[in-house]
């Protein structure tokens, strides 16, 4: 990947896209759904024919939390399948040198040996709460490998764990745990309410700062050419309860956190194995520490509250 290469970032307006933007050169197109609806093949092909990307970071997806994934299960399957099929096919037709697509650790089988290893992605049913999104993402891996085998396309797939950072989605129906908590604490501070969180807070999860993921994606676009997916992300586990307490302190929240035990906890742990990335030269201490990353995210969210995605 050289400075003169044309780089297309699908999902350029999202959490990961915004973090990636500062690491790429002037010949980069950060795509939004307003510029091109990737569910539509004609629009996708026109965009690819006009821009003729050499490298594609394929980040665009219909993304949501448990509520949206369960309620709109058919939409999640159809829209993600269409977006992925169209982007890989258009990339092939214009002869892009390489495509890097994002999967997610939430597509791993529900019952799977820990820590999650790349070779187990297709080894069983995904968790029922997001099975349609998970299967659509798994097919992105299948299509990438099939195109490599038949057409010789250098298409790679990357599997991040839970992400957070600036420019996240704060819509309570679609958001992930960190932006949802930040929004709840901020609004409770404004209104003097207590805060209600789902479940017991006992589950442990891994979280990666979007700025760190961006650096890894650039590194893999340059240096990883294998057909098999690669897990990436900070493998330090935090309990949801510890996360809530850390965020409440950072947000100066003085009320009570009430844990709604009638809501499901989900899986207790979902640790991922990061050995493959480490074997390429990445190490755990290259990640921003959670204290710094969470504080930066809280400060940014408060400063930009009125314009946050899902709030405005
Ligand atoms: P966001 O929800 O923040 O952004 C989604 C992006 O996709 C937006 O830029 C949106 O454009 C674009 N998009 C959605 N639908 C379409 C469409 N029909 N046509 C064109 N563009 C579209 O996602 P993230 O940045 O959080 O996620 C990026 C990738 O990382 C996704 O593939 C996701 O599955 C994966 N991932 C995310 C994790 C997380 O915790 N966030 C965890 C693991 C994997 P617009 O805003 O203009 O509508």
């Amino acid at each position: 990947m050289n400075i003169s290469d044309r780089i297309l970032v699908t999902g350029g307006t999202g959490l990961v896209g915004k973090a990636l933007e500062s690491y790429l050169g002037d010949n980069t197109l950060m795509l939004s759904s307003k510029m091109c609806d990737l569910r539509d093949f004609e629009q996708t092909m026109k965009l690819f024919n006009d821009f003729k990307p050499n490298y594609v970071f394929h980040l665009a997806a219909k993304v949501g939390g448990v509520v949206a994934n369960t309620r709109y299960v058919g939409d999640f399957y159809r829209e993600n399948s269409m977006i992925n099929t169209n982007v890989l096919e258009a990339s092939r037709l214009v002869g892009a040198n390489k495509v890097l697509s994002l999967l997610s650790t939430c597509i791993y089988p529900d019952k799977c040996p820990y820590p999650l290893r790349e070779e187990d992605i297709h080894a069983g049913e995904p968790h029922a709460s997001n099975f349609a999104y998970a299967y659509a993402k798994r097919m992105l891996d299948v299509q990438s490998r099939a195109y490599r085998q038949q057409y010789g396309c250098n298409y790679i797939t990357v599997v991040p764990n839970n992400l957070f950072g600036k420019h996240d989605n704060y819509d309570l129906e679609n958001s992930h745990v960190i932006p949802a908590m930040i929004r709840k604490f901020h609004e409770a501070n404004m209104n003097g309410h207590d805060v209600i969180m789902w479940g017991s807070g006992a589950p442990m999860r891994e979280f990666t700062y979007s700025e760190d993921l961006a650096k890894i994606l650039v590194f893999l676009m340059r240096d990883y050419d294998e057909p098999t997916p690669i897990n990436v992300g900070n493998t330090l586990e935090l309990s949801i309860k510890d996360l809530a307490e850390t965020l409440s302190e950072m947000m100066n929240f003085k009320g009570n956190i009430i844990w709604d035990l009638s809501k499901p906890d989900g899986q207790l742990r979902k640790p991922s194995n990061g050995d493959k990335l480490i074997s390429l030269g990445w190490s755990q201490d290259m990640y921003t520490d959670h204290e710094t990353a969470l504080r930066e995210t809280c400060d940014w969210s408060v400063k930009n509250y009125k314009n946050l995605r899902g709030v405005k």
Side-chain angles (χ1 to χ4, degrees):
M1 198 166 57
N2 295 316
I3 198 81
S4 58
D5 285 320
R6 283 182 306 283
I7 298 169
L8 176 66
V9 180
T10 74
T13 51
L15 166 69
V16 181
K18 283 286 186 189
L20 192 55
E21 194 168 8
S22 58
Y23 297 96
L24 302 175
D26 292 342
N27 294 332
T28 303
L29 178 60
M30 307 298 297
L31 196 69
S32 74
S33 61
K34 289 184 192 71
M35 295 155 75
C36 173
D37 184 347
L38 295 168
R39 294 170 301 182
D40 181 305
F41 186 65
E42 269 181 39
Q43 282 188 43
T44 307
M45 215 43 245
K46 178 168 183 345
L47 180 275
F48 274 72
N49 273 326
D50 289 348
F51 187 63
K52 294 207 172 26
N54 306 109
Y55 292 87
V56 180
F57 288 91
H58 174 37
L59 318 177
K62 184 176 175 65
V63 177
V66 182
V67 179
N69 254 295
T70 310
R71 194 170 296 162
Y72 307 112
V73 63
D75 296 348
F76 270 78
Y77 183 78
R78 187 184 70 256
E79 293 186 29
N80 283 309
S81 299
M82 290 193 299
I83 290 171
N84 296 336
T85 309
N86 290 344
V87 168
L88 294 202
E89 176 66 354
S91 300
R92 178 183 81 80
L93 291 173
V94 300
N97 299 359
K98 187 166 177 179
V99 179
L100 179 160
S101 302
L102 286 192
L103 307 180
S104 166
T105 51
C106 73
I107 75 170
Y108 271 98
D110 186 22
K111 295 184 179 60
C112 196
Y114 292 145
L116 302 167
R117 284 171 200 280
E118 292 88 347
E119 57 268 29
D120 287 333
I121 282 185
H122 299 276
E125 287 276 319
H127 193 265
S129 62
N130 72 340
F131 78 97
Y133 172 83
Y135 274 120
K137 282 277 187 197
R138 287 187 189 185
M139 290 310 112
L140 182 51
D141 165 45
V142 170
Q143 191 180 351
S144 297
R145 285 188 285 123
Y147 274 37
R148 178 181 289 269
Q149 188 173 314
Q150 183 178 347
Y151 304 114
C153 296
N154 189 6
Y155 290 178
I156 64 168
T157 51
V158 177
V159 194
N161 49 31
N162 301 286
L163 306 172
F164 69 96
K166 299 159 201 163
H167 304 279
D168 210 337
N169 184 359
Y170 293 76
D171 175 336
L172 291 178
E173 205 174 82
N174 281 305
S175 59
H176 293 100
V177 59
I178 290 180
M181 282 185 178
I182 291 175
R183 178 172 179 177
K184 284 183 184 181
F185 286 129
H186 186 62
E187 291 179 354
N189 280 344
M190 293 192 294
N191 302 324
H193 296 153
D194 289 335
V195 157
I196 300 173
M197 302 288 184
W198 275 32
S200 69
M204 311 282 293
R205 291 289 182 269
E206 300 169 337
F207 296 97
T208 301
Y209 194 27
S210 53
E211 299 286 332
D212 294 334
L213 178 69
K215 289 180 206 157
I216 294 171
L217 297 185
V218 172
F219 169 70
L220 294 176
M221 186 61 110
R222 293 205 170 106
D223 288 332
Y224 186 73
D225 293 318
E226 302 299 318
T228 44
I230 177 166
N231 288 341
V232 301
N234 193 334
T235 51
L236 185 75
E237 288 179 286
L238 282 183
S239 78
I240 299 297
K241 193 165 239 166
D242 285 346
L243 175 69
E245 279 163 11
T246 304
L247 290 174
S248 90
E249 182 254 302
M250 289 177 178
M251 297 291 293
N252 293 317
F253 174 66
K254 303 287 182 238
N256 299 305
I257 302 175
I258 298 160
W259 294 94
D260 179 357
L261 301 178
S262 70
K263 295 289 193 300
D265 263 344
Q267 287 154 295
L268 198 56
R269 291 181 67 213
K270 286 200 316 188
S272 60
N273 181 296
D275 288 354
K276 210 168 174 180
L277 184 63
I278 287 169
S279 74
L280 296 177
W282 204 264
S283 63
Q284 180 67 21
D285 61 13
M286 290 161 88
Y287 291 103
T288 311
D289 64 274
H290 280 324
E291 166 83 21
T292 306
L294 288 171
R295 204 172 279 287
E296 284 180 11
T297 306
C298 287
D299 291 349
W300 183 90
S301 308
V302 171
K303 202 165 151 214
N304 294 284
Y305 173 71
K306 285 197 179 128
N307 293 315
L308 294 177
R309 195 153 43 115
V311 172
K312 66 176 178 201

